[in-house]
Amino acid sequence: MSRPKAIDNLKDLQAALQLAIGLELSTIPVYLTALYSIKEDANTDAAQTIRSVVMEEMLHMTLAANVLNAIGETPSIDPVEFQKRKNLSPIPGYPLVSPLISKIGTLDLLPLTPQAVASFVKIEHPLHGAASLQAIDVGECSYRTIGEFYEAIKKALEDPRICEDDHAFEHGDQVPADQYYGGAGSVVEVTDRASAVAAIQKIVDEGEGLPEKRLGEKAKTVTDKDKLINGWEMYSHYARFRELQTGRRFRSTQKAAAEPEGALLLVDYDAVHPALHVPRNGDSAGDAEDRALIEFDLSYSALVDDLYLAFSGRPKVRGGLGDGVEVAKPALPLAVHTMFELKRSAVALMRTPNPAKPGYTLCPRFSYVPIDERQKLREHAQELREQSR
């Protein structure tokens, strides 16, 4: 049985962090598809749970980006070479079979269903549902679990042969702490080895990468930093999704490996739009429907670009209020705002019947369109608009 390799040089460490940003990004459309499929005023507890996790995935992307910036590399959508494996893309496409983590399984875009929630639990489980780490074969991937991947990153950050001393972390371009909002935790601005390791540890503590030993600890383990103003406690992603799966909250004394036995957390799977994901190169849904899907993809692609601009530590330059003056604004809050704006388009798609798939509605594809392909796609969308008049 093959084993994962240690990260033993700076180039691979930088590539690993590029892939870590992409790994965190890859879960967001999966969770958003379920969230946006919920019908209006239904499943409010489930919606709050999923939304809270999405915001923390945004934080995790930011943390990985800050570490990458600190060691001298800018976050990028471009494919990387990692441990002699070439053309590994940090940008996900769906359905997604991870080239990095062997046990995570296929990530699909599904409405809120028991199958979708089971996949959330598998993503966030320390061993992705396996009985032991030793039982997992790394296969053609680099690591068996997300936790193992982040542990390799931490060891590389601590290795003086890769990052000689604190001066190795002084390249700057940090996303500041005051730009993140809406979830638990906080941005770590990386200035030395200790803060770099702390940033990665925050990702591990909140979500993917949860150590196996934490299953034997209280499910509702939180710190003051994991509490929102309204009192909502942000314990691990695994525990939150396990509550959704079982329909019950954890009691305060229960361990994470236990079956939740607390208050009911009812999920009405009938109060969900029956969205069916069809990849961009899949079957046509009809002229008007295809145009709406293309326009969503273009908006999502612009959002991803804005996120990577934010992760570079640079502001977004926007036009002023009619005076022709350009204004530099913090890019991350603008990107978060755009993500919530995208919700309206996603919900509209999920309310639209798919004429090619009776009984189903359209589903956002969250398909990233490379910049050099967008103009052609815009022209195609315009042609479809004219044809549907």
Side-chain angles (χ1 to χ4, degrees):
M1 182 179 289
S2 55
R3 296 285 182 178
K5 297 179 181 178
I7 298 171
D8 59 9
N9 61 79
L10 180 61
K11 181 180 176 182
D12 274 348
L13 175 57
Q14 291 170 334
L17 287 162
Q18 296 279 18
L19 294 171
I21 298 170
L23 175 63
E24 300 298 332
L25 172 62
S26 71
T27 64
I28 292 177
V30 173
Y31 298 152
L32 285 181
T33 301
L35 175 63
Y36 294 161
S37 73
I38 297 172
K39 293 182 178 179
E40 189 173 2
D41 298 326
N43 289 315
T44 54
D45 285 341
Q48 185 177 29
T49 293
I50 299 170
R51 189 181 300 109
S52 70
V53 171
V54 167
M55 291 307 303
E56 287 159 32
E57 301 296 5
M58 294 278 285
L59 171 62
H60 299 169
M61 292 178 71
T62 307
L63 291 168
N66 272 359
V67 178
L68 181 60
N69 281 320
I71 61 172
E73 187 70 16
T74 301
S76 171
I77 64 171
D78 295 335
V80 298
E81 179 178 340
F82 177 59
Q83 295 180 334
K84 298 183 180 180
R85 299 177 63 204
K86 297 181 178 180
N87 295 316
L88 297 180
S89 176
I91 303 300
Y94 302 94
L96 176 66
V97 178
S98 175
L100 190 64
I101 310 298
S102 66
K103 190 57 180 174
I104 196 172
T106 301
L107 303 189
D108 288 308
L109 302 182
L110 300 170
L112 185 64
T113 61
Q115 179 186 354
V117 175
S119 75
F120 301 170
V121 172
K122 182 176 181 179
I123 291 168
E124 305 288 353
H125 187 275
L127 300 175
H128 309 306
S132 68
L133 185 63
Q134 291 69 32
I136 305 172
D137 186 4
V138 73
E140 296 182 359
C141 296
S142 299
Y143 297 94
R144 293 171 290 187
T145 68
I146 296 174
E148 189 172 62
F149 172 53
Y150 278 120
E151 184 63 26
I153 290 176
K154 280 175 57 182
K155 286 182 178 179
L157 291 170
E158 293 169 338
D159 189 340
R161 295 170 299 177
I162 300 174
C163 300
E164 183 175 354
D165 54 28
D166 284 343
H167 293 298
F169 300 89
E170 293 180 349
H171 290 82
D173 293 329
Q174 298 293 290
V175 178
D178 61 3
Q179 286 193 23
Y180 171 74
Y181 63 93
S186 59
V187 172
V188 176
E189 295 184 40
V190 178
T191 57
D192 54 21
R193 192 189 309 277
S195 55
V197 172
I200 298 302
Q201 189 61 48
K202 171 54 69 175
I203 298 173
V204 170
D205 287 343
E206 282 192 348
E208 304 99 340
L210 185 73
E212 184 180 0
K213 66 179 182 180
R214 290 279 296 277
L215 292 174
E217 299 174 3
K218 289 182 180 180
K220 289 190 172 184
T221 298
V222 295
T223 67
D224 289 342
K225 292 182 179 180
D226 296 326
K227 296 179 182 179
L228 300 187
I229 295 174
N230 63 5
W232 184 268
E233 294 184 340
M234 299 300 178
Y235 34 94
S236 74
H237 295 180
Y238 169 73
R240 277 178 262 173
F241 283 143
R242 187 76 175 117
E243 290 179 333
L244 279 189
Q245 186 180 44
T246 60
R248 283 191 177 274
R249 301 284 189 191
F250 278 103
R251 296 183 185 276
S252 60
T253 57
Q254 284 193 276
K255 295 181 179 179
E259 185 91 358
E261 298 175 346
L264 292 176
L265 196 171
L266 300 178
V267 180
D268 182 359
Y269 291 110
D270 291 326
V272 173
H273 297 292
L276 178 66
H277 173 242
V278 178
R280 185 148 57 97
N281 58 355
D283 297 335
S284 171
D287 290 350
E289 292 79 10
D290 284 346
R291 174 182 58 80
L293 289 165
I294 289 171
E295 290 175 347
F296 182 91
D297 287 342
L298 290 170
S299 296
Y300 169 69
S301 301
L303 168 62
V304 172
D305 290 344
D306 283 351
L307 284 172
Y308 272 83
L309 175 64
F311 297 149
S312 73
R314 299 192 301 270
K316 182 173 183 178
V317 177
R318 308 179 73 183
L321 299 175
D323 55 9
V325 177
E326 292 187 333
V327 179
K329 300 236 180 212
L332 186 58
L334 291 174
V336 172
H337 178 73
T338 300
M339 185 176 72
F340 285 114
E341 289 290 311
L342 204 61
K343 175 184 177 180
R344 288 203 289 268
S345 298
V347 170
L349 287 172
M350 290 188 172
R351 291 175 176 173
T352 303
N354 186 337
K357 305 288 182 180
Y360 294 99
T361 63
L362 300 179
C363 181
R365 297 181 295 205
F366 291 97
S367 178
Y368 182 81
V369 182
I371 291 176
D372 60 358
E373 297 178 16
R374 291 179 197 175
Q375 183 57 38
K376 184 177 180 180
L377 208 55
R378 289 189 191 97
E379 292 171 357
H380 181 49
Q382 182 59 34
E383 291 173 1
L384 293 174
R385 181 187 296 274
E386 293 172 357
Q387 291 171 12
S388 63
R389 287 177 177 171

